[in-house]
Amino acid sequence: MAFEGSGKHEASKHTANSRGHDDPSSLGKLAGKEFFITEENIRKIEAHLQRFSEEDGSMAPQNAMMIDRLKTALAAGCPISGADASFYFHELYEASLMDVGIDYPEAHSLAFAEYGVSPFSVYAPEVVQSFPELFNSHWFKFWDLGGQ
Amino acid sequence: MRTLSWGFRKAQIWLDELPTWDFHTLEVVEQSRDASNSRNYKEKKCAIELYAPIGAIAYYGALGVTFTPQGRGRITVQVPISEDNGPLLDASLAGKTDEVHIGLPQEYAENILDVFLNADSVQQLGAGTLRICSGAHGTIGSSPWFFGALSRILTKLLLLEDTSASDESLIDFIRKELIQKGPSTNDVITNLGVQMNQIR
């Protein structure tokens, strides 16, 4: 399954190790690459994340901030990379699998495997720092952030 | 043990019983404060394991507590701290989406202590000792906020007079504690400015 800016990739196993974002394997097939994104795909991601909306119907704040980052890049006509690309492709792939009836745990795991990225790569360090209560020390270690 | 699910979220709840998630304790953090005399005269215990996906991450945590009433006019909270990588909990609600270890790392103790010392519902319990006696955490999906939420849920479960409460009422307890606060407008504007500069 391929999306805007992605190619066909072979699956690889993901682990929970917080090896650090400088580790070449932490961003898998997305490492060192930039991708132009589309408004349509951002809308798909927003619709997908609404499935997991808060109990009051709102989107989780860390997801809302990642969506804002994507919209900012789109508006500026800039390509995305790193955590933004990891989040973008993870959500698109996860959504596509759940749309055909695959349950969340399976779709979530397959989305990491598809791009070979670390599970700690899907939220940007600025997001982790903005909501320190929502992330544990492994996330801070992965992004080389102090404060935890 | 009761198993609950709503949407993509799942919980297991133990009322008047506890799961057997024993772990090696490195130290016990203890704090206390004044409290009214206990209205309860028997020991209470409960636990929760909670899995709450939000998309790119699935929150996970498990916590168990005992309350022993005492007539000394103070409430004491004891939180045992474990190492980060305790025994793996293979049959957790997180399944393949996280790596779950039995135990309670130091980084979650502050939020747990804060809730158990200061929640209104704890004051209703009255004087006594609250001892965290079991816990499990996900390498990816646990967070200080989530352990605070688990603690708030447990304070309410401890006050339940009727352990045969309906699944709906238990889910209602949990749902109310899972609402996160979003960033303020000023935070959003500041962050967008930072992002624009980074993109440029």
Side-chain angles (χ1 to χ4, degrees), chain A residues 3 41-42 44-52 63 66-67 70 84-99 104 107-108 111-112 115 122-123, chain B residues 54-57:
Chain A
F3 304 102
N41 279 343
I42 293 176
K44 280 183 189 172
I45 292 170
E46 286 182 299
H48 170 60
L49 292 177
Q50 278 303 316
R51 303 184 221 229
F52 308 98
N63 288 343
M66 289 302 296
I67 293 284
L70 295 178
D84 296 308
S86 186
F87 178 84
Y88 180 80
F89 289 116
H90 177 89
E91 296 307 331
L92 283 174
Y93 195 77
E94 185 179 86
S96 70
L97 295 179
M98 291 178 70
D99 285 347
Y104 168 77
H108 184 66
F112 284 121
Y115 297 102
V122 290
Y123 289 107
Chain B
I54 60 164
I57 189 175

Side-chain angles (χ1 to χ4, degrees), chain A residues 54-55 62-63 106 137, chain B residues 9 54 59 96 107 180:
Chain A
E54 298 275 293
E55 305 296 341
Q62 60 271 61
N63 288 343
E106 186 71 14
S137 56
Chain B
R9 298 172 180 191
I54 60 164
Y59 286 126
K96 65 172 71 171
E107 63 183 301
Q180 302 171 94

Side-chain angles (χ1 to χ4, degrees), chain A residues 17-90:
Chain A
N17 293 332
S18 51
R19 286 175 294 205
H21 67 285
D22 289 334
D23 186 314
S25 65
S26 65
L27 280 169
K29 295 162 185 170
L30 306 179
K33 295 179 182 173
E34 294 186 326
F35 305 89
F36 285 97
I37 61 178
T38 69
E39 188 175 354
E40 181 188 357
N41 279 343
I42 293 176
R43 276 201 299 268
K44 280 183 189 172
I45 292 170
E46 286 182 299
H48 170 60
L49 292 177
Q50 278 303 316
R51 303 184 221 229
F52 308 98
S53 60
E54 298 275 293
E55 305 296 341
D56 63 356
S58 63
M59 186 182 288
Q62 60 271 61
N63 288 343
M65 192 168 170
M66 289 302 296
I67 293 284
D68 283 342
R69 290 170 61 91
L70 295 178
K71 288 180 175 176
T72 301
L74 181 68
C78 295
I80 61 168
S81 61
D84 296 308
S86 186
F87 178 84
Y88 180 80
F89 289 116
H90 177 89

